[in-house]
């Protein structure tokens, strides 16, 4: 999926709470996630590391996992940021989905996208990678 297709998809999606309920997704805290993983999706359950208290980062993680749910098959997915962000196509697409969703109501004219995303829970490395990707498309 390219950036333009993702942006069109995101514009049709409901608000955050409805996005979860419409897709029968449940978010739960867990203290037994794999080492280095802050979020994990198994079936329709999204598990967030219990020790994460930053609500904006939690929202990014949830949106990232929703991206996997909507864009990829139903295998187990997880977001590895602390160890090393995966360079796979699926991870990039899930990051793009989450970031574009966060940007969907913003006017991009004169917006510092990296700063905006970083201030809204997206790890800076992810924000830079997403910005680099969308600015070349």
């Amino acid at each position: 999926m390219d950036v333009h297709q993702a942006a069109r998809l995101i514009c049709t999606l409901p608000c955050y709470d409805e996005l979860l309920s419409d897709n029968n997704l449940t978010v739960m805290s867990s203290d037994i996630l794999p080492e280095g993983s802050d979020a994990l999706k198994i079936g329709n359950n999204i598990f967030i590391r219990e020790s994460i208290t930053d609500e904006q980062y939690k929202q990014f993680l949830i949106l990232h996992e929703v991206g996997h749910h909507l864009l990829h098959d139903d295998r187990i997915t997880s977001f590895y940021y602390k160890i090393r962000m995966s360079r796979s196509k699926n991870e990039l697409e899930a990051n793009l989905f989450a970031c574009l969703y966060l940007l969907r109501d913003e006017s991009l004219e004169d917006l510092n996208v990296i700063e905006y995303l970083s201030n809204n829970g997206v790890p800076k490395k992810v924000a830079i990678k997403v910005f680099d990707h969308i600015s070349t498309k």
Side-chain angles (χ1 to χ4, degrees), residues 27-127:
V27 178
M28 297 178 261
S29 292
S30 176
D31 61 354
I32 55 169
L33 292 175
E35 180 71 28
S37 181
D38 288 342
L40 176 70
K41 185 183 89 60
I42 302 175
N44 284 16
N45 297 306
I46 297 173
F47 298 93
I48 303 296
R49 184 167 301 285
E50 202 168 78
S51 61
I52 295 173
T53 57
D54 182 331
E55 291 300 318
Q56 290 178 318
Y57 181 50
K58 278 184 192 178
Q59 183 179 29
F60 167 73
L61 291 170
I62 292 165
L63 288 168
H64 175 95
E65 298 303 335
V66 170
H68 281 301
H69 181 79
L70 295 175
L71 302 172
H72 308 127
D73 63 23
D74 197 32
R75 65 180 172 225
I76 295 173
T77 58
S78 63
F79 179 74
Y80 287 91
Y81 172 65
K82 290 182 179 174
I83 292 178
R84 183 173 227 160
M85 189 175 64
S86 171
R87 294 187 178 132
S88 77
K89 181 180 178 216
N90 286 356
E91 288 304 306
L92 176 60
E93 288 175 350
N95 286 335
L96 275 167
F97 175 88
C99 291
L100 290 172
Y101 192 91
L102 291 171
L103 289 166
R104 77 187 197 146
D105 295 327
E106 299 301 318
S107 169
L108 298 181
E109 197 173 313
D110 300 325
L111 179 69
N112 182 327
V113 172
I114 295 171
E115 183 179 329
Y116 178 85
L117 291 172
S118 296
N119 290 336
N120 284 278
V122 179
K124 190 155 191 164
K125 284 183 180 182
V126 174

Side-chain angles (χ1 to χ4, degrees), residues 85 87 92 124-134:
M85 189 175 64
R87 294 187 178 132
L92 176 60
K124 190 155 191 164
K125 284 183 180 182
V126 174
I128 291 168
K129 193 169 284 250
V130 165
F131 177 77
D132 287 347
H133 186 77
I134 62 176

